Amino acid sequence: MRQFIILGHDVPTTAEFSLSDVAGGAGRLDVLCRCINAGLFLSHGIREEVRIHLVLDDEYTVRFDGSTAKRLYPDERAVASRIQGALEAKADAIGHQPAEVSPGVELYRMDFESTLAAVASDATVVELHEDGEPLAEASTPENPVFVLSDHHDFTDEEAEALAATADRRLRVGPEILHADHTISVVHNWLDTAGYQSY
Amino acid sequence: MRQFIILGHDVPTTAEFSLSDVAGGAGRLDVLCRCINAGLFLSHGIREEVRIHLVLDDEYTVRFDGSTAKRLYPDERAVASRIQGALEAKADAIGHQPAEVSPGVELYRMDFESTLAAVASDATVVELHEDGEPLAEASTPENPVFVLSDHHDFTDEEAEALAATADRRLRVGPEILHADHTISVVHNWLDTAGYQSY
């Protein structure tokens, strides 16, 4: 399985936002929506062995699971609508029990460190870092989880938690890319390397 | 310079579409908007040496130029709004004289073959094809132009025109990707290869 954790720092934690203003009033939720797009979609299908965890303002985590997602469309508005639906159900997320809000989409009352710890237990945590090993020279990790941030850098606390948990440190390229573009590159790297651990 | 030509087969050629329905009523214009995003944006800036040509229903071509683009935002709605603005000015595009509609955005009354011929004169035309040379093994082309289609395959006519003009045939990966994801992969390939012909 390939997993991605994306940190949204300004995004809503309530459903009261307009689907016509995801890039403004919804705190650059558009970035997270494009990460779902880049992470889950192939040209004519869904990447079934992918999970994406969107951490909303270090309070909730919305999980998209490619193996069970249904009627998911790739445009920003459609993905934002699914996230809005998840937030409408947040009262049903109690402790670490998720609210299941639509096929393949669950909402957890979990912050970044809890989500990272839960995912890391059976995955190879990859930190993407400018001092990391270049992708082209690196071996492909088994069951990788890549941790990415939205349009903001990681906070010091987030960076420390990630560095303390990371098993590998990789570098995508000489340019600093948007999170969703990074996901496209990483998928292609794993595809091309004939990654078959799932 | 790096260029991309993207063919939109169902998209509007008039400005009468809703920015709240770009993935539906606007004929999957969302795909083309994401191609602008993937083609032009770095994490904290614009790729200045990139031009993207969106061919709308084989009738008009909207050109986005990274070197002159201003106040361009990466979300689908914002890009769709720029395309809508271009279509509002289409009466000003006469012959091969474009309508300049906002900084870095021009609309030409040109179909795919005219656009391809104009771009090809001083570029390396790259056809992405499953029988092509894998990116990882290929040398990087000078001044490449990559030709991509939206959610539809190329028509027979388009495929023939492209094959007749192409200088190189490359393969991105074992999986068939969305056009915007392909652009992210191609940019990273050129970035990583230290592509410096511009």
Side-chain angles (χ1 to χ4, degrees), chain A residues 20 23 28 30 34 37-38 41-43 47 74-77 172 174-178 181 184-185 188 191, chain B residues 20 23 28 30 34 37-38 41-43 47 74-77 172 174-178 181 184-185 188 191:
Chain A
S20 297
R28 300 303 313 276
D30 61 311
R34 286 195 296 277
N37 173 306
F41 285 89
L42 288 169
S43 183
R47 290 184 182 270
D75 61 294
E76 292 168 14
R77 189 181 177 96
V172 165
E175 303 289 355
I176 310 295
L177 304 181
H178 279 278
H181 303 166
S184 293
V185 170
N188 181 256
D191 292 343
Chain B
S20 296
R28 300 305 309 278
D30 61 311
R34 286 195 296 277
N37 172 306
F41 285 88
L42 289 169
S43 184
R47 290 184 183 268
D75 61 294
E76 291 168 13
R77 190 183 177 94
V172 165
E175 303 288 356
I176 310 296
L177 304 181
H178 278 277
H181 304 165
S184 293
V185 170
N188 181 255
D191 292 343

Side-chain angles (χ1 to χ4, degrees), chain B residues 133-197:
Chain B
E133 187 181 9
L135 285 190
E137 300 166 16
S139 62
T140 51
E142 294 216 353
N143 294 313
V145 52
F146 299 87
V147 184
L148 300 155
S149 185
D150 60 3
H151 61 300
H152 291 303
D153 290 336
F154 292 114
T155 64
D156 290 345
E157 276 185 10
E158 290 162 354
E160 282 168 24
L162 176 54
T165 312
D167 302 298
R168 300 277 301 274
R169 188 184 261 197
L170 298 176
R171 177 189 174 115
V172 165
E175 303 288 356
I176 310 296
L177 304 181
H178 278 277
D180 58 312
H181 304 165
T182 300
I183 291 172
S184 293
V185 170
V186 162
H187 265 322
N188 181 255
W189 174 59
L190 295 170
D191 292 343
T192 305
Y195 179 77
Q196 292 292 349
S197 82

